[in-house]
Amino acid sequence: MLEAQEITWKQDHKTILQSINFHLLPGECVGLIGPNGSGKSSLLKILAFLETPTSGLLFFQGQSVPKNVPLAIRRKIAIVFQESLLLNTRVFDNVAVGLKIRGVSKETIKQRVDYWLEQFGVIHLSKQLARSLSGGEAQRVSLARAFAIEPDVLFLDEPFSALDAPTKEALRVDLAKVFKTTQTTTVLVSHDFKDIAHLANRAMILLNGQVAAEGAPTELLQNPQQGDVTRFLAHFTS
Ligand SMILES: Nc1ncnc2c1ncn2[C@@H]1O[C@H](COP(=O)(O)OP(=O)(O)O)[C@@H](O)[C@H]1O
Ligand SMILES: [Mg+2]
């Protein structure tokens, strides 16, 4: 679905990402984990075509992606950030916006928006203004908006980290259910190994802008790792 070869990203003479190789198969969720500043969001932005790498190649559905990324490719992806970027309109209209842009018929929009608000347990908020939502509700609406366009690849950058523990836990459970039914191909960034263990099929640990380890989440915890990876993972096992 998506592949990156030897991605390097430099800003202000600083190397933020170095020689990253990445691939994403249809239907899998790959977790990017690492401490603050390790380059997770930078890598996500490059994979989602929001930043251009300094060097390296990107392939989307088998095709090489040019520097000027075609709209046809951009429209196949959806992104959710830590802080929900909702327009201050009603919840329904927020979820509908991506479908309107894509020229989906009014009837289908209504159907799909209601379906996704239902899946994320926020259908009762449909007429409420986005500004009046709690953090957890807003993130549920953001996820409904992303799933509504039925993206080929979904990018989630720390989607729960602004939420308190019970709110986060409930949303993680609901998202896991949605993944199970939709098999949406996803890149999930988190600094919390628990999110990755619950939701990702495969994880990559980033340390200082480089891939330090890769594998199934449980394997990463069980198998011996190099020193700095062990030190990072120790935060989640104690
Ligand atoms: N646009 C940018 N210009 C300069 N430095 C940046 C830019 N974006 C990110 N960085 C730096 O790159 C490093 C990695 O940042 P980031 O990818 O946001 O890490 P993470 O998401 O893992 O916390 C940080 O040191 C950050 O300051
Ligand atoms: Mg980040």
Side-chain angles (χ1 to χ4, degrees):
M1 191 63 86
L2 181 63
E3 190 179 350
Q5 292 177 359
E6 292 295 319
I7 296 293
T8 294
W9 194 48
K10 294 181 187 172
Q11 289 287 300
D12 310 329
H13 310 287
K14 202 176 115 185
T15 301
I16 293 164
L17 296 171
Q18 203 181 344
S19 306
I20 306 255
N21 289 300
F22 175 92
H23 71 276
L24 187 63
L25 301 173
E28 75 174 343
C29 174
V30 170
L32 299 179
I33 183 159
N36 279 332
S38 58
K40 303 180 297 296
S41 295
S42 300
L43 179 56
L44 179 132
K45 282 182 201 151
I46 285 171
L47 295 173
F49 317 118
L50 297 176
E51 293 283 359
T52 310
T54 310
S55 62
L57 296 172
L58 287 166
F59 299 87
F60 189 82
Q61 298 176 333
Q63 306 278 318
S64 170
V65 178
K67 279 223 159 64
N68 194 352
V69 182
L71 196 57
I73 293 184
R74 291 192 182 277
R75 286 196 171 166
K76 290 183 180 180
I77 67 174
I79 312 171
V80 176
F81 295 101
Q82 177 178 341
E83 302 293 339
S84 52
L85 302 169
L86 297 173
L87 309 167
N88 194 34
T89 55
R90 292 181 195 282
V91 163
F92 183 94
D93 298 318
N94 266 280
V95 178
V97 72
L99 297 169
K100 275 189 193 153
I101 290 168
R102 287 165 178 80
V104 175
S105 77
K106 237 182 168 167
E107 269 165 40
T108 311
I109 289 179
K110 169 85 176 112
Q111 243 173 19
R112 266 213 237 163
V113 171
D114 284 353
Y115 176 81
W116 284 107
L117 288 175
E118 182 83 53
Q119 292 303 299
F120 283 102
V122 284
I123 183 81
H124 61 292
L125 302 173
S126 188
K127 293 194 172 120
Q128 202 165 313
L129 283 174
R131 194 166 51 190
S132 64
L133 300 174
S134 73
E137 290 166 348
Q139 233 21 2
R140 285 172 177 273
V141 172
S142 300
L143 285 163
R145 179 172 64 180
F147 276 96
I149 65 160
E150 296 175 356
D152 286 359
V153 182
L154 174 65
F155 295 90
L156 304 175
D157 191 352
E158 309 258 15
F160 323 115
S161 57
L163 309 178
D164 60 44
T167 307
K168 170 177 167 149
E169 185 75 34
L171 183 49
R172 198 160 54 198
V173 169
D174 288 352
L175 184 59
K177 275 187 210 150
V178 169
F179 276 161
K180 214 169 174 185
T181 50
T182 60
Q183 308 264 308
T184 302
T185 311
T186 303
V187 179
L188 169 66
V189 165
S190 179
H191 64 272
D192 185 348
F193 200 84
K194 214 170 157 195
D195 296 338
I196 303 292
H198 271 82
L199 296 165
N201 311 101
R202 191 152 60 80
M204 283 170 89
I205 299 178
L206 283 185
L207 295 176
N208 300 317
Q210 287 178 290
V211 179
E214 194 176 348
T218 42
E219 279 170 26
L220 285 174
L221 280 184
Q222 283 158 12
N223 297 347
Q225 305 288 345
Q226 62 186 82
D228 45 358
V229 176
T230 305
R231 274 191 295 280
F232 172 65
L233 289 174
H235 297 291
F236 306 104
T237 49
S238 52

